[in-house]
Structures are given as structure tokens and as C-alpha cells.
Amino acid sequence: MPYINVRGVEHYYEWVKKSSGSLAKPVMVFMHGWAGSARYWQNTADALSEQFDCLLYDLRGFGRSRGKPTIAQASEAVAESESPQEESEAIRELTYELEEYADDLAALLDGLRIQRVYIHAHSMGASVATLFFNRYPQRVERGILTCSGIFEYDEKSFSAFHKFGGYVVKFRPKWLSKIPFVDRMFMARFLYSSIPHSERQAFLEDFLEADYDAAIGTIFTSVSKAQAEVMPQEFAKLTVPTLLVAGEYDKIIPAEMGRQAAALSDKVEFVMIPNTAHFPMLEDVPTYLQRVQEFLQINTPKPQVG
């Protein structure tokens, strides 16, 4: 499997491409959400690969990417440092702030020698992407944010969420994935329309395999007083043309939160997909692709059904 060292940490990535002769295609980067992986973007990338070279990767600590450098990697990075400043950077432990994940993406693009991209991101990944749009606007052509939005800080509900999230992350026995119908129960809160068993199972396995520190750390950084204050400002100052897609019955990030975020900038176009929840790209593939194609002003072949 292809891996690349990003800021001292091994990251999994893959390309979804279709031959176009000598014609160079723009690159579209896909970013997944909390405790997920690039696997659930595979079908969307396949559908868009006629027009784009699609780059999928697993965020630090999730999917097939490591959460931190191995001892050997850290030692090697220090050995290759040419100055005290570089050595300090090499041994600095990365945090789980979303801004750090935005910088991870910049380093990934640098490592692959890619200058300018389209970005297609979901949930927590969409928050990271929004930060990336404003930190590196010269590197983004257009952005698609799926199931993203702004929220108000509430100390009691946030505290309860963090406490519950801590229990969920701590209790993740690997044997859980072997129990019949657990994948259906696990995904029930995230879906309104059904998706194939194989996709539900993949979500469960990604959740069970996620690095503990990354999973718990991003719970606290994604849903926090700081993010509640920062994200409205980030949406308001966007300069990148952006499509924000919401699921009508999303319980994780309600559509109204997305609508409020989109209203903060004339650069953001808002669409809501009926009869879907937190994964509209999987729950209603044709409608989702149609909305994305309209925003990108492209035509792609209709996906095969059945």
C-alpha cells in the first residue's frame, strides 16, 4: 500500500484515475470525517475520475495512517535535521487541533508536488478543509463541504458529549465487528436511507481501528468552545468558491447548521438533499453527484445501479 511521510507520520494515500491520453486533469482531494477513512469516498471518486485525478488519504490517526511517528522515524527525522530549529520541529509532537490537520494536508500536497487542487471533504474533514481554504487559498480551486456547519457553545451539552465520547472511544473491542447486525446498529444514528452492508461494516471497522489518542483528541478539538467561536469567522472570510451539502435528516450536523454557515459568505452555495442524513453521498448517490456536477459545471456518466 502507498504511504508518504507527512510531518514525520506515515500517511496512507491512493489515487483513483482514469486514462485520458495526454490530457492533464485537475486534482481533487478527498477528506473523510471523524473515525472514518478514505474508503467511503471510493465510489464518489470513481464517478468523478473522468474529469479529475482523485487523491484519497487517511487523516493522521485514522484508517490506515499512523497516529504518531515510530521511534525509528522520529530518530531518523532528527538525524536528518540541519539546524536546531529543524531538529525542534522534527521532534515536536503534533497535536489534534484541526489547524494541525490543515497543515498536514499542505505538507501532503508538498510531498506529492501538487500545487493547486479541488477539495471534497466530509464532517470533521470539512471543518479541516474550511481552515485549509483560509490558510492556503492560493492552493484551492473550489471546495465541496458535505455535512458541515456552525454551532453554538453550550457548556453542559458539550461536557456530556465529551464524557459520552470518551466512553465510546475507550470501549472498542475488536470482536465487536464479528457480532451480527452490529454494523446496522452502529450506523443507525448516521443514516436515514439504507446503504450496503459492506459499507456499514467498513465504517465499523474504521471506528474500531482508529488510534485512541487521535479519536479522543479530535472529539475535544472538533466540538469545543474554541471551534464554536472560530468556525463562524472562518466561513465569513472564505474566498474559495464552496458548495455546502447537507442531509435533510442529519442528526450529527443538522442541515440548519449548514444553512447558517453558508449564509455567512456569498462564496458558499447551500444545497440540502432530501431523505438523507450524515452520509448523503452514499444514501442518495445520483442526487449527490448531480448537485456536485452542477457546482463544478461538469457532466459525468450516471452511476450503474444494481
Side-chain angles (χ1 to χ4, degrees):
M1 292 191 295
Y3 282 85
I4 185 171
N5 189 298
V6 177
R7 305 173 77 199
V9 179
E10 291 296 298
H11 280 60
Y12 172 86
Y13 75 98
E14 64 179 283
W15 287 100
V16 176
K17 298 181 179 182
K18 288 183 181 176
S19 176
S20 60
S22 60
L23 182 65
K25 295 180 183 178
V27 173
M28 178 174 286
V29 182
F30 288 78
M31 303 175 69
H32 64 80
W34 182 81
S37 78
R39 291 197 288 181
Y40 68 73
W41 276 124
Q42 189 76 44
N43 290 338
T44 308
D46 285 340
L48 294 172
S49 60
E50 292 283 353
Q51 286 75 25
F52 298 90
D53 286 339
C54 297
L55 173 62
L56 285 66
Y57 79 104
D58 292 346
L59 275 66
R60 173 164 44 91
F62 298 107
R64 294 142 291 189
S65 293
R66 288 188 175 275
K68 53 182 69 69
T70 63
I71 294 176
Q73 289 168 340
S75 299
E76 182 180 351
V78 170
E80 292 177 353
S81 302
E82 297 181 356
S83 68
Q85 182 177 351
E86 286 186 4
E87 180 174 335
S88 176
E89 178 65 23
I91 63 176
R92 182 176 71 89
E93 184 173 350
L94 298 175
T95 71
Y96 300 106
E97 297 292 338
L98 300 189
E99 291 82 356
E100 290 268 30
Y101 279 95
D103 291 340
D104 285 352
L105 174 56
L108 173 71
L109 297 179
D110 287 344
L112 295 174
R113 298 184 179 180
I114 301 170
Q115 292 302 315
R116 193 168 174 85
V117 297
Y118 290 74
I119 292 181
H120 205 143
H122 174 248
S123 197
M124 186 191 86
S127 295
V128 175
T130 303
L131 295 166
F132 185 89
F133 294 170
N134 288 326
R135 291 164 85 91
Y136 305 94
Q138 74 282 2
R139 305 194 74 163
V140 188
E141 190 70 36
R142 286 189 166 217
I144 301 165
L145 307 177
T146 301
C147 299
S148 184
I150 58 174
F151 50 85
E152 294 183 3
Y153 175 70
D154 182 282
E155 184 176 1
K156 288 185 177 179
S157 62
F158 277 36
S159 178
F161 175 81
H162 292 153
K163 187 175 183 179
F164 176 73
Y167 289 141
V168 168
V169 172
K170 186 170 292 185
F171 181 72
R172 292 181 299 159
K174 298 296 188 290
W175 49 258
L176 203 60
S177 64
K178 307 300 181 184
I179 299 177
F181 307 115
V182 166
D183 61 297
R184 191 179 296 276
M185 291 185 288
F186 175 73
M187 292 300 294
R189 181 170 172 77
F190 300 97
L191 302 173
Y192 182 81
S193 300
S194 64
I195 63 174
H197 164 73
S198 59
E199 292 180 343
R200 297 195 307 267
Q201 188 68 21
F203 277 111
L204 177 59
E205 291 171 2
D206 284 337
F207 167 71
L208 295 176
E209 294 294 333
D211 177 81
Y212 175 82
D213 290 337
I216 197 71
T218 49
I219 282 180
F220 282 89
T221 58
S222 298
V223 183
S224 65
K225 182 178 181 180
Q227 285 301 308
E229 294 171 348
V230 165
M231 291 311 295
Q233 300 172 34
E234 294 293 329
F235 274 102
K237 66 182 183 182
L238 282 172
T239 60
V240 172
T242 301
L243 175 67
L244 198 159
V245 184
E248 181 182 13
Y249 297 108
D250 192 346
K251 296 178 182 178
I252 309 302
I253 304 176
E256 185 56 31
M257 291 184 177
R259 194 187 305 275
Q260 292 172 1
L264 294 173
S265 172
D266 59 7
K267 291 292 185 179
V268 183
E269 175 185 340
F270 176 81
V271 298
M272 183 177 68
I273 299 185
N275 300 318
T276 65
H278 197 57
F279 289 92
M281 72 289 251
L282 301 177
E283 297 173 80
D284 186 348
V285 175
T287 303
Y288 184 86
L289 287 175
Q290 180 185 349
R291 294 299 191 180
V292 167
Q293 292 162 22
E294 290 170 353
F295 172 70
L296 297 172
Q297 300 178 338
I298 60 172
N299 294 312
T300 63
K302 293 183 179 179
Q304 297 296 317
V305 178

